[in-house]
Amino acid sequence: MLQHHGPQLVNLLASVMLLLAFAMLSQRRIISLINLFAAQGFTLFLSTALVAWLTGQDHLYASALLTLALKVIALPWILHRLIRRLNVKWDVETLINIPTTMLIGIVLVILAFNLALPISLLAGTVTKATLGIALACVLLSFLMMITRSKAVPQVIGFLAMENGLFFAATGAVYGMPMVIEFGIALDVLVGMLILGIFFFRIRERFDSLDTRHLERLKEL
Amino acid sequence: MISLSGVAAQFTELALAVLLAPLLTGWVNQCRAWLQNRSAPPLLQPYRVLNKLFQKEVVLAYGASPLFRVAPYLIFGCLCAAAAIVPTLGTDLPLNAAADAIALVGLLALARMFIALAGMDVGTAFGTLGARREMLVGFLAEPALLMVLFTASLISNSTSLATIAATLAHKEFVIHPSLAFAGVAFTMVSLAENARIPVDNPATHLELTMIHEAMVLEYSGRHLAMIEWAASLKLFVYSCIGLVLFFPFGIASGGDWLGLVLALPALLGKLALGGALLALIEMLSAKMRIFRAPEFLGTAFLLAVLAMLVHVLLER
Amino acid sequence: MTLLATPLHQVLALACAWLVLGALGLLRQDSVRWTTRILYPAGAIVGLALAIVALSAIFDPAAALVLPLGLPDLPFHARLDALSAFFLLLLGAVAAGVSVYAGGYFRQAQGTAPGLVCLYFHVFLASMALVMVADDAYFFMVAWETMALSSFFLVTCDHDQAEIRRAGYLYLLIAHIGAIAILLCFGALQAGAGDYTFENMRALQPTAAWATAAFLLALVGFGAKAGIVPLHVWLPEAHPAAPSPVSALLSAVMLKTAIYGLLRVTLDLIGSPLWWWGVVALVLGLVSALGGIVFAAVQTDMKRLLAYSSIENVGLIFAGFGLTLIFHGFGKGALAALALTATLYHCLNHAFYKSLLFLCTGSVLHATRERSLGRLGGLIRRMPWVAWCALIGTIAIAGLPPSNGFVSEWLLLQAFLFTPGLPQGYLNMLVPVAAAAVALTAALSGYVMVKFFGVVFLGQHREARLAEAHEAGIWERAGLAWLAAACIFLGLVPATVIGLLDPITRTLTGHGIGNFARGWLFLAPINAERASYSPILVFAVAALLVAAAWLGVRAFYHGRARRAAAWDCGFPDQNARMQDSAEGFGQPVRHVFEPFFRLEQHAPAPDDARPRFSESAEDRLWYWIYLPVARAVERLTALVTLLQRGRISVYLAYSFATLLALLLFAR
């Protein structure tokens, strides 16, 4: 039964990921944002494990476990600790208001769906229909990075973008070679640590984590 | 074409909706009290309240026009007509050929327009405030509801509610991701339209925070009873729409007497579960500022549009 | 009488009858009784006759005629086919109601003499009728320009006021920009053959480039007359400036002549439209619809509110038209017929309910002399007839069942639901978004109409002298009743009306939708399982339930009622200024749709002795497009004034240079 409904379940999990990407776009509170990111990581873990089970590709199990360890447990824990130490409790401020952001998000989704259609016809996997959704997740996370003015949501947008790319890879070519995966995972982890240090430096310099203050570092 | 079982199902459904709606409200109140660890009013309390209100004399303001007096009956009639269209027990309803999903949304909008006009009729500050806020919630919630129904129509290739119920209930079990989006959007719209937390607190006494209650401040006696009954009927109708779209199992197909009889406990069980879920959602959320409501509803609207797009992408 | 044998002859004779009535108005220019007691009712009878003739002509085959008028080599051609007959029916029926109303309205002479107003009024009606039967470009343009000029004079009836003159000037300016575009369009259509008759244009098959040029020019030209964004700025100025019967005719019928022109050029003269034209029309229509209704929500003048609502409805008509072109371009004839039916039905509905609402505002204006929403209120007690007719119009324009507005919206949404079957990927996904925009516009129009009806007719009087407002006269009531009855009729028997529209869709798209359901009671345009609607049943069931509820309550309980002061939560000192104003009711829309407006706010300082607050929401397009264009034109024309030297010898030198140039170069 699961074999028969497997592709539908993968589609469902893909939709849940898109839903979470939209939810992150419209979310105002920072703690909910981190929890949504963790939920998106968990959905990614589930879908990778399911694809592994459906197609018998065992290296995908390892990818799934890596996702679980990194995106669901380690990174949210680091972010929560950072939030507590930075004593950040504010609501997320946006450069354009949330309804307009969501409208732009819808346009991006339409664009992504249409761009992915011809590619998904070429792919030979069971999950090819989800390429459009993966591309949409990447674009939405990028939009989130652009429209936020504080540093922490921008970083979460960057991490969510990586989620989307990983999902696209699983969907189109059954995952990347393990070497690349470990490399990316290490990059992301180290990047988080360095960005964490940056948060403290920015806060020390400007007394605020608003990245618009970085404009003051220009020559003029 | 009109079968006896269809007519029987139609009358039973209408009577059930009108008679059980206050019971659903009472059940939601009881669940909420249990979750808040306080003792609940009895389950049949809404009926007692209605009875008390019917027996009281109506006090009309000096400036109230005939529209004010006739509006409660019009609102009740529109909502009863809406309840008659939604298939709860069986899908072979004679009235289904008369009105489809778009007409259903239209009837609900007509009821909303009359209650807003009634709120503006006496010309008090709170009445017009409530009318304005109700139309604010309405102009975003109505297209969202329509888009949710359209998603279901695209799946079942028809806007007739009976066909939607039949298709979704009797097709082989297929997971529709678009219905996931539509479900979230529908929940948000139901919370807003039925004046539930997080959009409006049904138990509030502060006029400046009211949406629905502020419009009916001037009503008393049997008029207020009709409006309260109409409000609980609206909650019943929305719950039944949700059941038709997302949990249609148990609804009998045409001409099946045994199915009709079995559909009744299925309906009651699903409604009880839905009511408990509603109480849980109300408990876990806080009421938001009135100007966050457009954002909330805008999100619901965009999710519903997204549901249609996901359908076009993934389910063709 | 062989002169009146065919319907086409009868239509032309009735148009001439209107012209004669207009000329009769000149006999006694200052007499109010002559015009209102005799001429306007006669005009109403002519309108009714026109409607009856047109109704039967819809089912006849097309008839053509060459009139002995016009220039020696360019006689007027006239033709009556199903499309013309439908719009003539619309014109006649609405004109009948409005003329009856005008018989009661134009009681006082203001500005222009009543005889002259009668002349312009009937010339306006006659020219619109002639536009619909014109079969060559020359006749069409003559009738079109007459329509524009007569309506200009009607708009500036009250020419003593500067803002009305300004509104008339803007109206004439944009009407002429549109007329130039239409002329160029006809030029593109005749493809160098020199023959400007429509017969010739139908026979020619222009290349895709010329056809596209013609379509875009037609869109600009007819769109300027119809009031599509961005050429809509004249509508909210001109419609309120005109007297109410004229506003009703402008909104209800004149905008539809533009739609008629566009349908004629695209579906009949060009013949084979490309699908992407439909996308352009759809996008323009949706932008107009949303922009129009959002602006309507923030207006404080009741006639401006209705004018912006007209922009919204014309946008919806354009959206339906665009959908027709899309379906036609992909070869889906039945769906194109469905979309065209929805468009034409919406034209008919809008004509009736918009004219009804404008005439109600006319009665309110007559009774109270107030146009601003901030000084009205509570008129349902003083003017019940007008108020209940306005309620019918409000329910119709908000698109709620069982009114006629709901039927056309239902058909349009059903047409949108078919678009995921199109072969083009982007269209597949863009059109559900378009359907969402239509739904949002419909919901917003409900909001705006609740504001309109509630602020004008409900609540308390915002000014003390509203307590002396009088009910409308017998003529006015008759006109309102006619239009309201038409709204109800169109809503309750849509299947009959669709049977009426069938010949038109067959001639234009080659398909008709027919009716697959069980007769006149049900409306099931595609098939009965897919969607079916029966307004009579819905109305009957709802009425039955309302009656049952009322009787049930009476039977089981008593019906005692007592009057007292309003409760308002026990606040003792209530006055009329505490209810919502028009600005207050529009504030949520202003808040949600802020990017649309250019808001100018003046808030008082804390130490102001006499604090005043003012806020105005203006159209951004005025500042982005019109003012820069106006400034550029002024700069250009300033260059031309360099030629004006003021010395005679210079002017003689110009003539001399021209003569030399002609002698040298023109051999």
Side-chain angles (χ1 to χ4, degrees), chain A residues 4-5 8-9 11-12 15 18-19 22 28 99 102-103 106 109-110 113 129 133, chain B residues 172-177 180-181 184 292 295 299 302-303 305-306 309-310 313-314:
Chain A
H4 173 58
H5 289 295
Q8 290 170 8
L9 268 178
N11 281 349
L12 182 64
S15 314
L18 187 60
L19 189 62
F22 253 102
R28 282 175 172 267
M102 298 206 47
L103 272 176
I106 288 258
V109 166
I110 296 179
F113 282 3
I133 291 192
Chain B
E172 49 158 82
F173 181 67
V174 177
I175 307 177
H176 294 283
F181 281 89
V184 175
R292 291 287 162 89
E295 271 179 30
T299 312
L302 290 171
L303 280 177
V305 174
L306 207 60
L309 290 174
V310 167
L313 174 75
L314 285 182

Side-chain angles (χ1 to χ4, degrees), chain C residues 640-661:
Chain C
V640 176
T641 56
L642 289 174
L643 285 175
Q644 187 187 35
R645 287 287 160 195
R647 289 165 69 181
I648 295 191
S649 41
V650 175
Y651 295 148
L652 287 174
Y654 288 155
S655 314
F656 188 59
T658 316
L659 183 60
L660 280 180

